[in-house]
Amino acid sequence: MKAYWHDNLPGDRRQPHVTPRSVSASDLEGLGISYYHLPELSQVDELAYGRGYVHRDEITVSPEALGGQDAFDARLKVFFNEHLHEDEEIRYVVDGTGYFDVRSSDDEWVRIELEKADLIILPAGIYHRFTTGQGNYIKAMRLFKSDPQWTPLHRSADVEKNPFRQEYLRSREGDDLVKA
């Protein structure tokens, strides 16, 4: 896992958009994000059991898996549209590379690069977006506490009033991950 401030330059979203300013795992924890490197599936199973995740599935995001380049591009566009969820978002990278961009406390993008054996847990209510890396391929396990669902709530004034968003903001009071 690598995390850093996104450069916010235009261009291909699958590019690294790296800056020299890194963000540590403890900084991510300040945003409510948990990160684990779990090379063994038994470690994922243990974490899932301990956190009460009872369902899982796998998703492959690539032009081949999604029926061609047009379908792939359309899916990435949906994933890259800034949104939040009312549940934790848990992803374990089985293979490939992807980027989760999350909003810092001062509303700037932090980019988190994930590779094989990385697991990330985004809290309910955090704004984020996702894209694959330049290889156009990621296979990820999705873990759920209840029946699998993926309902994005796209950023808007109404979503700002969402109780899960409000709870997330309350839980982050005093967070100091701001771009200096």
Side-chain angles (χ1 to χ4, degrees):
M1 183 275 297
K2 296 177 202 151
Y4 48 86
W5 294 100
H6 192 286
D7 66 14
N8 293 312
L9 296 175
D12 188 341
R13 62 183 162 255
R14 295 165 294 173
Q15 296 285 330
H17 290 276
V18 68
T19 63
R21 296 225 25 238
S22 64
V23 174
S24 70
S26 66
D27 289 333
L28 294 177
E29 288 173 12
L31 294 174
I33 298 167
S34 299
Y35 165 77
Y36 304 88
H37 183 75
L38 306 174
E40 302 296 327
L41 189 55
S42 61
Q43 296 171 297
V44 177
D45 294 339
E46 184 178 322
L47 182 130
Y49 178 78
R51 292 183 67 96
Y53 303 140
V54 295
H55 296 284
R56 64 178 71 184
D57 67 13
E58 288 189 358
I59 183 171
T60 300
V61 180
S62 71
E64 297 76 20
L66 296 175
Q69 191 67 44
D70 290 344
F72 171 76
D73 291 341
R75 180 64 62 97
L76 277 189
K77 186 175 181 181
V78 169
F79 291 160
F80 204 68
N81 193 353
E82 183 176 3
H83 62 280
L84 61 79
H85 302 286
E86 292 183 339
D87 297 305
E88 291 182 330
E89 182 162 342
I90 307 95
R91 299 294 180 265
Y92 175 70
V93 180
V94 176
D95 197 19
T97 303
Y99 299 108
F100 275 94
D101 296 338
V102 298
R103 289 291 188 179
S104 69
S105 56
D106 66 346
D107 213 30
E108 295 292 327
W109 286 117
V110 172
R111 176 152 276 198
I112 306 166
E113 179 181 353
L114 300 174
E115 299 177 318
K116 184 176 182 175
D118 288 338
L119 184 141
I120 192 168
I121 303 171
L122 302 181
I126 190 171
Y127 284 119
H128 64 281
R129 60 191 185 187
F130 173 80
T131 189
T132 63
Q134 293 173 286
N136 290 340
Y137 170 77
I138 190 166
K139 182 177 184 180
M141 179 186 298
R142 305 183 301 181
L143 299 139
F144 304 92
K145 289 186 176 182
S146 59
D147 291 331
Q149 57 183 331
W150 188 83
T151 306
L153 301 175
H154 298 285
R155 191 167 189 170
S156 70
D158 286 341
V159 171
E160 281 297 316
K161 299 172 192 169
N162 177 286
F164 292 90
R165 175 67 178 160
Q166 290 300 305
E167 177 56 32
Y168 173 74
L169 292 173
R170 278 191 295 279
S171 74
R172 304 284 52 93
E173 287 177 2
D175 168 44
D176 61 355
L177 181 60
V178 295
K179 193 171 187 177

